[in-house]
């Protein structure tokens, strides 16, 4: 992966090493530059799960992505820049979909930043209308215009729950504290990216 | 969808919305040119890798999805008590 090209794609000239400020700048730049999109699934070809492939398509402006691709590519970028990134299994709750952690969402956490070594961060650029900047991984209410967000311990897993603003189509999202790998998302990606009844294929 | 500092821009089929703290702006993209202009200018997706056949196909899918949405809305309105 061409890290310099990725930073350029995000509108960032350089990265001077991991820090809270730099993580926030990367997260904001990614969320404001790379669209959450399912246009790529309208042509029946599916799309890559591999983070490096996703990153290359983002860099070339061929595609944005959905959660697996956006958070996967962002994790690859952060790792290449020296961040300690952990993947987690998650699941999104909507008005028609109950709260569950079924690997239908990929979540990131970042830890061990030199200027906040004890603090973990909830990092997620794959929710579409979710986070603009990371949240400290601790209970709290947050305002990220135009939405109000609440982070709290999950009621359904050993992990965390993001309650989204009532104006979002997403009710909330739960994720496990346990670490995951990209292979944990292969089965869901295989269905969600190509099945005719997948919500990501039905509507672009 | 794309995050902005104080809003979220959403394109669902041919409905382009921007959600702000106090209001939401909505527009229906009426033409294929408007659709691809929004994908490029608003979302940064020029989609130059698509053939003209694929671009036509994608536009027709978006229109069909919007018409299905309108049909569901109309059916729902009919079922609601007066």
């Amino acid at each position: 992966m061409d890290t310099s090209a990725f930073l350029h794609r995000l509108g960032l000239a350089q990265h001077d090493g991991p820090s809270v400020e730099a993580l926030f700048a990367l997260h904001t730049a990614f969320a404001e530059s790379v669209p959450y999109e399912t246009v790529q699934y309208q042509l029946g070809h599916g799309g890559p799960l591999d983070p490096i492939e996703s990153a290359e398509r983002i860099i070339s402006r061929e595609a944005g992505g959905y959660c697996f691709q956006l958070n996967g590519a962002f994790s690859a970028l952060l790792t290449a820049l020296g961040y300690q990134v952990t993947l987690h299994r998650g699941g999104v709750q909507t008005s028609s979909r109950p709260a569950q952690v079924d690997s239908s969402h990929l979540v990131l956490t970042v830890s061990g930043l030199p200027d906040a070594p004890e603090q973990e961060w909830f990092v997620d650029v794959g929710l579409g209308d979710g986070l603009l900047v990371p949240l400290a991984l601790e209970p709290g209410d947050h305002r990220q215009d135009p939405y109000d967000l609440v982070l709290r311990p999950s009621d359904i897993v050993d992990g965390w729950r993001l309650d989204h603003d009532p104006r979002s189509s997403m009710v909330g999202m739960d994720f496990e504290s346990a670490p995951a790998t990209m292979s944990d998302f292969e089965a869901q990606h295989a269905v969600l990216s190509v099945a005719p009844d997948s919500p990501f294929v039905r509507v672009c | 969808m794309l995050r902005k500092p104080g809003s979220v821009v959403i394109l669902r089929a041919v409905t382009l919305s921007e959600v702000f703290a106090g209001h939401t702006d909505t527009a229906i993209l009426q033409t294929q040119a408007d659709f691809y202009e929004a994908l490029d200018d608003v979302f940064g997706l020029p989609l130059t890798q698509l053939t003209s056949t694929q671009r036509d196909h994608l536009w027709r899918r978006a229109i069909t999805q919007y018409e299905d949405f309108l049909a569901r809305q109309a059916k729902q309105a009919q079922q609601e008590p007066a």
Side-chain angles (χ1 to χ4, degrees):
Chain A
M1 184 181 67
D2 186 338
T3 306
S4 296
F6 208 153
L7 290 173
H8 181 73
R9 169 70 178 84
L10 303 183
L12 300 172
Q14 61 183 35
H15 180 266
D16 295 327
S19 69
V20 174
E21 183 180 357
L23 176 64
F24 273 53
L26 286 163
H27 196 290
T28 303
F30 193 107
E32 292 181 0
S33 305
V34 184
Y36 180 102
E37 59 89 7
T38 57
V39 169
Q40 61 185 295
Y41 301 138
Q42 303 305 305
L43 301 172
H45 304 151
L49 178 64
D50 177 67
I52 302 302
E53 270 190 78
S54 298
E56 288 169 353
R57 297 175 86 212
I58 288 168
I59 292 167
S60 68
R61 293 184 181 273
E62 184 178 324
Y66 70 165
C67 68
F68 302 139
Q69 297 164 324
L70 298 178
N71 278 335
F74 196 47
S75 74
L77 175 64
L78 292 175
T79 301
L81 294 172
Y83 290 85
Q84 295 176 32
V85 184
T86 303
L87 281 56
H88 305 270
R89 296 186 333 115
V92 169
Q93 180 186 6
T94 67
S95 59
S96 60
R97 195 170 189 280
Q100 57 188 317
V101 171
D102 58 354
S103 299
S104 62
H105 185 62
L106 163 61
V107 178
L108 309 178
T109 56
V110 168
S111 59
L113 294 177
D115 51 345
E118 304 303 319
Q119 182 66 61
E120 280 188 271
W121 299 92
F122 165 39
V123 169
D124 197 330
V125 292
L127 284 171
D129 64 352
L131 305 186
L132 186 59
V133 296
L135 299 180
L137 193 60
E138 56 194 31
D141 297 352
H142 304 272
R143 178 72 186 176
Q144 292 193 8
D145 274 339
Y147 295 135
D148 289 315
L149 307 168
V150 178
L151 186 63
R152 60 177 173 85
S154 173
D155 294 328
I156 61 171
V157 291
D158 177 11
W160 293 87
R161 160 82 176 187
L162 179 73
D163 291 319
H164 209 315
D165 191 283
R167 291 198 299 154
S168 170
S169 59
M170 182 180 74
V171 176
M173 186 276 294
D174 295 86
F175 66 97
E176 291 177 343
S177 293
T181 65
M182 285 307 293
S183 62
D184 290 316
F185 305 96
E186 285 174 356
Q188 283 284 12
H189 177 66
V191 173
L192 294 174
S193 61
V194 294
D197 61 344
S198 161
F200 304 106
V201 176
R202 281 204 317 266
V203 181
C204 62
Chain B
M1 283 189 264
L2 192 66
R3 266 313 225 132
K4 289 190 169 185
S7 66
V8 177
V9 191
I10 302 168
L11 178 61
R12 188 163 285 132
V14 296
T15 304
L16 181 64
S17 307
E18 185 161 6
V19 181
F20 296 91
H23 69 285
T24 301
D25 293 339
T26 301
I28 306 300
L29 302 178
Q30 302 284 354
T31 69
Q32 185 170 348
D34 291 343
F35 179 69
Y36 283 106
E37 185 178 315
L39 284 169
D40 189 359
D41 293 351
V42 180
F43 297 97
L45 290 175
L47 300 180
T48 50
Q49 76 275 17
L50 299 186
T51 66
S52 60
T53 301
Q54 288 174 319
R55 291 170 83 88
D56 289 345
H57 176 73
L58 178 58
W59 167 246
R60 284 198 304 275
R61 273 188 71 94
I63 287 290
T64 300
Q65 289 166 3
Y66 178 61
E67 290 171 346
D68 289 348
F69 165 72
L70 291 180
R72 285 195 304 274
Q73 268 198 329
K75 188 176 179 182
Q76 192 174 1
Q78 283 177 347
Q79 291 172 343
E80 288 176 357

